[in-house]
Amino acid sequence: MGTTQLEKAPEPKYWHLRTVLTDALDSEFAVGEVLPNERELAARFGVARATLRQALEQLELEGRLQRRRGVGTTVAPPRVGVDVGPVRDSWPGPPGGDWQTEGCEDVTPPAAVVQLLATAPDAVVHAVRRTRMSQGQPVATELLYIPAASAPSVPEAPADTDSSSVRAEHLLRALHRLELEGQDRAVELGSAHTDDARQLDRLPGAPVLVVTTRYFVAGRTAAVSVSTYRADTCRLTFGDTEPVTLMAG
Amino acid sequence: MGTTQLEKAPEPKYWHLRTVLTDALDSEFAVGEVLPNERELAARFGVARATLRQALEQLELEGRLQRRRGVGTTVAPPRVGVDVGPVRDSWPGPPGGDWQTEGCEDVTPPAAVVQLLATAPDAVVHAVRRTRMSQGQPVATELLYIPAASAPSVPEAPADTDSSSVRAEHLLRALHRLELEGQDRAVELGSAHTDDARQLDRLPGAPVLVVTTRYFVAGRTAAVSVSTYRADTCRLTFGDTEPVTLMAG
DNA sequence: TAGTGGTCTAGACCACAGT
DNA sequence: CTGTGGTCTAGACCACTAC
């Protein structure tokens, strides 16, 4: 046998590159430091730029790198833990939190939401748009779908003079008057659509964690929120228990 | 002005393709149906294969498509909701669940886990490996890290004759004897490493949802589990409240 | 063996940020 | 303007599955 090894499946180059770069990031780079540009890195490793980029994409997805067009590739800080858990079953609102309500529209929600709300397929519901900030950066956008039945005090077609964000506050207050029985969450991977991508300062298709929350009132789903978190920078935390003394620096 | 439009930023081809294909999947394809191969699709849309593949990658990431080398691209079924929530604060175990314990090893855990366990950086801890099945397919692998202090009844260095999976059962039973005070979860995006990828029937680097759970006993972290779920096929559900009557088909 | 998706290349051009 | 990452191309070859 001419070959000294059986070597069934050679590791792909981009995966090996990812490993090498991971180790380099751990040992030789500081957070915020800028890496050499892609063309130089590719040359240095003896691969095509596309292959090098495949490795960088992995690392960006894992939250190790941050790439900005026209600027360069920098070492990303550790992911920020954003709390998504049920601190207490409660309605969304602006109680000192880091959420910021942007405004509201009347829309026919996507099919998945229609199914959760059990409304008519072409029914128009209120939709409050909010943004979540963390450490000065937007980390999530949210669309809170509120069927008209859940907010009867808010007029269907508001006067144009009624500011969109004022109306959003009305809707949230209307929700708070309902007695919340419980909620329900699901997390899945998605890709940022054009609007979300722009708000999150990402390109279309960027990986996001989509958190879908159902709000129950009187045995029915009174509202549904769909929150879109940047998957590269966020770690979603669920505090299932009362806060425990942190023991890890 | 020669141009009739301002047209600031034209949509990337791969993103437009993704939209077109999404609509096509919604209207013209059934679950399980196989799509034309990539070379033909690329020709049909008048783009290079790499561009077409960029769109397919998006759709696979979103759980709309399933691609298998040597076979083809098929329309994926809707994501399966796997429950990850605190049905009741409880230790992991095989109480009729869909978890299957594979065996155990003694390892020095990764830095992130060491930090959570607050053990010495080079300390060896027990690690029970489990796999979660759903609808006949593996959807997650898990490594449950148990410091020796949390399972004093299990010998440090077992006889080789002691089967790995038998020892794993011993470790789980030892945990069950401790009074669990609470738990803690975090979800983030990761990429499947070589071992996990193989167990999940994916390629290295495949997107996964990593669920990190801390188990608290006597005010300290008695164990940490790191579960790796296929991000393309799984939707993680957190039943924060007692089960509510489903109302959406 | 034939056909599929996965990897890799060596280019080109574009959009954007900073000067 | 220059330099960066983002998009796109037209090929080639490889690994795998199924017949």
Side-chain angles (χ1 to χ4, degrees), chain B:
Chain B
M1 327 318 178
T3 64
T4 59
Q5 299 255 137
L6 288 182
E7 53 178 337
K8 244 284 290 318
E11 208 171 37
K13 273 190 187 177
Y14 76 90
W15 185 252
H16 181 244
L17 256 184
R18 188 208 79 107
T19 307
V20 171
L21 287 171
T22 297
D23 294 346
L25 290 179
D26 285 335
S27 60
E28 303 169 26
F29 285 89
V31 167
E33 197 167 342
V34 310
L35 271 61
N37 72 55
E38 296 183 350
R39 289 162 179 88
E40 174 168 345
L41 280 177
R44 186 178 301 185
F45 286 109
V47 299
R49 182 154 82 108
T51 304
L52 185 270
R53 278 180 61 81
Q54 212 172 337
L56 294 186
E57 261 153 45
Q58 287 281 343
L59 291 169
E60 188 178 30
L61 184 116
E62 294 171 31
R64 300 298 309 267
L65 291 181
Q66 196 167 345
R67 300 192 284 174
R68 273 173 302 172
R69 169 156 52 182
V71 178
T73 302
T74 59
V75 180
R79 282 188 173 135
V80 295
V82 290
D83 192 54
V84 175
V87 180
R88 198 76 65 194
D89 279 350
S90 65
W91 288 107
D98 35 22
W99 284 100
Q100 178 180 336
T101 114
E102 300 281 350
C104 79
E105 330 150 38
D106 285 347
V107 303
T108 74
V113 172
V114 165
Q115 202 174 23
L116 296 177
L117 288 174
T119 53
D122 55 353
V124 170
V125 306
H126 309 303
V128 175
R129 184 174 280 287
R130 303 196 300 162
T131 303
R132 183 168 186 169
M133 306 291 290
S134 182
Q135 302 177 5
Q137 297 299 326
V139 293
T141 70
E142 183 191 68
L143 226 41
L144 173 62
Y145 296 98
I146 308 171
S150 297
S153 63
V154 179
E156 287 265 0
D160 294 51
T161 55
D162 190 1
S163 144
S164 170
S165 74
V166 166
R167 186 148 173 272
E169 300 293 349
H170 286 176
L171 283 167
L172 289 178
R173 268 194 293 273
L175 277 189
H176 290 177
R177 282 192 286 270
L178 302 178
E179 186 182 357
L180 182 61
E181 286 180 349
Q183 40 190 344
D184 201 43
R185 277 189 191 75
V187 178
E188 61 188 316
L189 181 59
S191 49
H193 287 218
T194 317
D195 322 317
D196 297 323
R198 189 168 36 246
Q199 290 205 38
L200 296 177
D201 195 36
R202 298 267 68 195
L203 295 169
V208 290
L209 296 172
V210 180
V211 181
T212 305
T213 307
R214 295 192 287 177
Y215 296 93
F216 298 116
V217 168
R220 305 188 74 267
T221 304
V224 165
S225 78
V226 178
S227 309
T228 300
Y229 288 81
R230 281 184 61 153
D232 54 346
T233 59
C234 291
R235 192 180 73 250
L236 270 37
T237 63
F238 294 78
D240 295 343
T241 61
E242 62 279 6
V244 182
T245 54
L246 290 197
M247 53 196 63

Side-chain angles (χ1 to χ4, degrees), chain A residues 47-227:
Chain A
V47 300
R49 182 154 81 110
T51 304
L52 185 270
R53 278 181 60 81
Q54 212 172 337
L56 293 186
E57 262 153 45
Q58 287 281 342
L59 291 169
E60 188 178 31
L61 184 117
E62 294 171 32
R64 301 296 308 266
L65 291 181
Q66 196 166 345
R67 298 192 286 175
R68 274 174 301 173
R69 167 156 54 181
V71 178
T73 301
T74 61
V75 180
R79 282 186 172 136
V80 295
V82 290
D83 192 55
V84 175
V87 180
R88 198 76 65 194
D89 279 351
S90 64
W91 289 107
D98 34 22
W99 284 101
Q100 178 178 334
T101 113
E102 300 281 350
C104 79
E105 330 149 38
D106 285 347
V107 302
T108 74
V113 173
V114 165
Q115 202 174 24
L116 295 177
L117 287 173
T119 53
D122 55 352
V124 170
V125 307
H126 308 303
V128 174
R129 184 174 281 286
R130 303 195 301 162
T131 303
R132 182 168 186 169
M133 307 290 290
S134 182
Q135 302 176 6
Q137 297 299 326
V139 293
T141 70
E142 183 192 68
L143 227 41
L144 174 63
Y145 296 98
I146 308 170
S150 297
S153 63
V154 179
E156 287 266 1
D160 295 51
T161 55
D162 191 1
S163 144
S164 170
S165 75
V166 166
R167 187 148 172 269
E169 299 293 349
H170 285 176
L171 283 167
L172 289 179
R173 268 194 292 274
L175 277 189
H176 290 178
R177 282 192 285 270
L178 302 178
E179 187 182 357
L180 182 61
E181 285 179 350
Q183 42 189 342
D184 200 43
R185 277 188 192 76
V187 177
E188 61 189 315
L189 180 59
S191 49
H193 287 218
T194 317
D195 321 317
D196 297 322
R198 189 168 34 245
Q199 292 205 37
L200 295 177
D201 195 37
R202 298 266 68 194
L203 294 169
V208 291
L209 296 172
V210 180
V211 181
T212 306
T213 308
R214 296 192 287 176
Y215 297 93
F216 298 117
V217 168
R220 305 189 74 264
T221 304
V224 165
S225 78
V226 178
S227 309

